[in-house]
Amino acid sequence: MKIKVCGMMVSENIEAVAALQPDYLGFIFYPSSPRNFEKEIPLIASEIKKTGVFVDASVDFVVEKVNKYKFKAVQLHGEESPAYCASIRYALPETEIIKVFSVRDEFEFDILKNYEASVDFFLFDTKGKNKGGNGYAFDWEILQNYPSKTPFFLSGGIGPEDLFKIKNFQQHLEKSGKADLLYAVDLNSKFETEPGYKDVEQLNEFRKILKGTKP
């Protein structure tokens, strides 16, 4: 399972987290977020997929940031339409596209069909007052009914205490032949000492256990 660490802000913290070799590092471009990124990204390993996170931004704005920061993925966290996602795909054919959907007590999976042709992954986050980083989880059991073949990221208030829950959820998916669809977990606020600053020790411990490199 892949790991994405999102909401990076501070140069030395970015370097420290990158040294753990997460699969994705996310940088948020949304002025209303306390993790809004406005700086330069230090040099990090090319194997890590730098990801720009956007909320209802113009296509031109997304393309500008992808070109400036050499992002390998974009995460669309607003109300972006299937047509918008198709426009991003056309403008950035080599860039992975992750479309976010917010979940609380239920979710209408039919909405996904029109996005499948234009995105690489879905990401399911907790519906709350903020566009991400709300710090609490939705009921993952809802995803037992996931009908799509598009792999997804699991997000929303995931913390160090959720390792067993993640593994248990993955086992449930295995029983229904959907284990491969859980592509990655997205980590943010529960691993922070303050908005945008990650606890590297906690992340490392979580990574080792999730990846199976620690007994």
Side-chain angles (χ1 to χ4, degrees):
M1 191 185 306
K2 308 290 187 184
I3 292 176
K4 175 174 171 283
V5 183
C6 199
M8 304 305 301
M9 287 183 68
V10 183
S11 183
E12 65 268 20
N13 191 234
I14 294 169
E15 292 176 326
V17 172
L20 303 179
Q21 297 183 310
D23 302 284
Y24 293 78
L25 272 183
F27 301 85
I28 297 170
F29 296 88
Y30 183 51
S32 297
S33 171
R35 301 169 185 84
N36 186 50
F37 190 78
E38 298 179 313
K39 302 178 181 178
E40 295 298 321
I41 301 175
L43 184 64
I44 62 176
S46 60
E47 293 82 7
I48 299 171
K49 294 182 179 180
K50 293 184 292 185
T51 304
V53 180
F54 305 93
V55 179
D56 298 319
S58 70
V59 172
D60 287 345
F61 182 81
V62 174
V63 171
E64 175 200 341
K65 297 303 181 185
V66 168
N67 290 335
K68 177 178 179 179
Y69 293 105
K70 310 301 180 188
F71 289 137
K72 295 182 180 178
V74 296
Q75 179 175 314
L76 306 176
H77 217 299
E79 304 301 322
E80 296 89 358
S81 68
Y84 176 96
C85 294
S87 295
I88 294 291
R89 170 67 79 206
Y90 179 80
L92 299 166
E94 302 301 318
T95 305
E96 290 182 2
I97 300 175
I98 305 164
K99 179 66 185 86
V100 178
F101 293 93
S102 298
V103 182
R104 185 170 286 166
D105 300 321
E106 58 184 7
F107 185 75
E108 295 294 333
F109 287 105
D110 286 348
I111 195 174
L112 303 178
K113 292 179 182 178
N114 292 331
Y115 288 88
E116 290 175 338
S118 301
V119 308
D120 298 284
F121 304 100
F122 294 125
L123 184 151
F124 296 103
D125 196 8
T126 304
K127 181 178 288 186
K129 65 177 183 178
N130 300 315
K131 291 289 187 181
N134 288 289
Y136 54 93
F138 66 92
D139 183 2
W140 298 349
E141 291 301 311
I142 292 169
L143 296 178
Q144 296 290 348
N145 298 318
Y146 184 68
S148 175
K149 299 299 183 184
T150 302
F152 64 86
F153 287 62
L154 186 63
S155 185
I158 297 174
E161 70 280 4
D162 290 318
L163 274 163
F164 174 78
K165 186 180 175 183
I166 291 169
K167 290 182 177 293
N168 189 49
F169 177 59
Q170 191 173 31
Q171 288 174 355
H172 281 298
L173 289 176
E174 284 176 359
K175 292 178 182 178
S176 56
K178 300 178 181 179
D180 291 343
L181 294 175
L182 176 52
Y183 178 75
V185 291
D186 187 46
L187 311 177
N188 193 347
S189 58
K190 283 293 189 76
F191 287 88
E192 290 182 334
T193 56
E194 60 183 82
Y197 200 93
K198 303 303 188 278
D199 185 319
V200 177
E201 185 175 334
Q202 275 195 337
L203 279 172
N204 190 37
E205 190 74 6
F206 184 95
R207 178 190 63 83
K208 289 191 292 186
I209 296 173
L210 187 70
K211 296 282 191 178
T213 58
K214 179 175 179 176

